[in-house]
Amino acid sequence: MLYREAGDFKTSYTADSQTFPIKFDRTAYWLLLIAAAVVLPFLVNDYWANAFLVPFLIYAIAAIGLNILTGYCGQVSLGTGGFMAVGAYASYKLMTAFPWLDMVTITILSGFITAAVGVLFGLPSLRIKGFYLAVATLAAQFFLVWMFNRVGWFYNYSASGQINAPERAIFGINVTGPNTEAWAQYLFCLLFVVAVAWVARNLTRGAVGRQWMAIRDMDIAAEIIGVNPLRAKLSAFAVSSFFIGISGALFFTVYLGAVEVGEVYGITKSFLVLFMIIIGGLGSIFGSFAGAAFLVMLPVLLKLIGVDVLGWPTDIVAHLNLVIVGALIVFFLVKEPHGLAAFWGVTKEKLRIWPFPH
């Protein structure tokens, strides 16, 4: 009975076109944000912060980035893991070469470096699309992983080939390194998630987002009505790679602390982020969060139920996770291409007129 629009009227076009036009949605959004920033860090333990909250926030940034490129602009990419590796190695080189830089600046600069690499590998999209573009981005994935493995300059000629994040603090609180508290990692990632979601939402609702969607729906018609395909596609690659680079930098510096590119940023990572936006919903910021939350939480729940409660072997639970994800991808592609976001939209519509029939 609370989810109603009666008496919730608008007096300007700006108010009518805002992200949350219904007052109940705006109130719920601010309450959720306050709870996430003020309450949640002091309620969860280290296990849940490291097992779910921190990876969820980082994957949400990566999913938003890929959704901008694939969901909004229609450019299929299988190179997400490689671009995350660019962000990780960029942050490592910046941390070791410029030890006086703070982590916020390092993470943002890593995003810009990844954006430049993304534009470079996005140039083939001007001539090819669909399956051929997916193969081109897949080639970028393998090339980037090979380069970071073979060129010693990227890992400072370490004998093991592994990169380790130096210790960094903000306002005297460590956000990287072995002595970092889980709540500090969580809040640092939450800062970037809020900023990325805000920027992505405004971009997709503005003129740039309309150009992306016009290219996605029919690129020839979009070009006829004045959309520059060069600017639209490369801007999508740049923004997408910027967000993915930030997620890759956070995954290395804040979450893991030490990585080997072949094991962490391989092709499996690219498919994982792609599955997130397929299950969550293509062309939806909310879908990026829903898909990331689902695929991060699923293995944790399966482990708690299958291993800890039922006593199943770990490998059986891991295979069950793959089967469930595969079945869900087939289900959503066949039954609901817009993923969990579409189900949430239908639920909201039903709540708005409940108890009357739809």
Side-chain angles (χ1 to χ4, degrees):
M1 298 296 292
L2 296 175
Y3 200 71
R4 288 291 186 269
E5 297 179 68
D8 193 7
F9 60 90
K10 310 296 184 299
T11 58
S12 65
Y13 286 110
T14 302
D16 190 52
S17 62
Q18 57 189 334
T19 301
F20 300 106
I22 302 176
K23 185 177 180 180
F24 182 87
D25 286 344
R26 292 196 300 273
T27 304
Y29 167 76
W30 285 112
L31 289 176
L32 179 63
L33 191 60
I34 292 172
V38 179
V39 180
L40 197 57
F42 306 102
L43 292 181
V44 298
N45 54 29
D46 290 348
Y47 171 77
W48 281 106
N50 287 297
F52 174 68
L53 288 177
V54 174
F56 157 65
L57 295 175
I58 295 173
Y59 279 122
I61 298 175
I64 291 173
L66 183 60
N67 220 338
I68 284 178
L69 182 62
T70 302
Y72 283 97
C73 196
Q75 309 302 301
V76 182
S77 174
L78 296 177
T80 307
F83 294 128
M84 289 181 70
V86 174
Y89 277 80
S91 63
Y92 173 70
K93 294 299 294 184
L94 290 170
M95 292 176 76
T96 54
F98 307 101
W100 61 86
L101 283 178
D102 62 277
M103 276 308 301
V104 175
T105 304
I106 288 173
T107 306
I108 294 175
L109 289 177
S110 301
F112 280 115
I113 294 172
T114 312
V117 176
V119 169
L120 178 63
F121 284 104
L123 290 174
S125 68
L126 305 177
R127 293 292 183 183
I128 58 178
K129 59 184 178 179
F131 171 78
Y132 301 100
L133 180 60
V135 172
T137 56
L138 184 62
Q141 161 75 37
F142 289 121
F143 171 77
L144 291 170
V145 170
W146 173 86
M147 182 178 66
F148 290 133
N149 272 326
R150 296 297 180 180
V151 181
W153 180 81
F154 289 108
Y155 50 85
N156 288 347
Y157 302 98
S158 170
S160 63
Q162 186 182 70
I163 58 174
N164 297 276
E167 191 172 278
R168 290 288 187 276
I170 296 180
F171 302 116
I173 301 174
N174 288 340
V175 293
T176 67
N179 299 319
T180 307
E181 296 289 340
W183 64 267
Q185 296 175 320
Y186 164 75
L187 287 177
F188 186 70
C189 293
L190 181 66
L191 169 68
F192 281 97
V193 167
V194 173
V196 164
W198 181 80
V199 172
R201 182 62 176 171
N202 283 276
L203 282 175
T204 54
R205 285 163 52 88
V208 176
R210 296 190 189 98
Q211 293 178 10
W212 291 341
M213 289 182 278
I215 292 292
R216 175 197 64 190
D217 294 337
M218 188 174 291
D219 53 353
I220 297 177
E223 189 173 2
I224 290 174
I225 64 175
V227 175
N228 188 330
L230 170 66
R231 186 183 300 115
K233 290 182 180 180
L234 292 188
S235 63
F237 268 97
V239 174
S240 171
S241 301
F242 176 75
F243 292 160
I244 292 173
I246 288 178
S247 70
L250 293 175
F251 201 76
F252 158 61
T253 58
V254 177
Y255 182 53
L256 295 180
V259 301
E260 291 184 12
V261 63
E263 297 179 359
V264 178
Y265 298 109
I267 186 63
T268 305
K269 191 72 67 182
S270 298
F271 281 116
L272 178 62
V273 180
L274 180 62
F275 295 160
M276 287 178 181
I277 65 172
I278 291 175
I279 293 176
L282 293 171
S284 168
I285 303 299
F286 171 79
S288 302
F289 283 99
F294 182 84
L295 286 186
V296 172
M297 193 64 184
L298 180 61
V300 178
L301 289 179
L302 288 178
K303 179 183 178 298
L304 289 175
I305 298 173
V307 178
D308 299 342
V309 177
L310 301 178
W312 292 351
T314 306
D315 56 343
I316 297 296
V317 175
H319 290 142
L320 181 61
N321 178 51
L322 296 176
V323 170
I324 293 175
V325 171
L328 285 174
I329 290 172
V330 174
F331 170 79
F332 280 112
L333 289 177
V334 174
K335 292 295 185 180
E336 184 49 76
H338 296 289
L340 295 173
F343 287 124
W344 174 239
V346 171
T347 303
K348 288 176 61 177
E349 289 298 321
K350 290 183 179 297
L351 287 174
R352 288 165 70 178
I353 62 173
W354 185 86
F356 302 103
H358 198 286

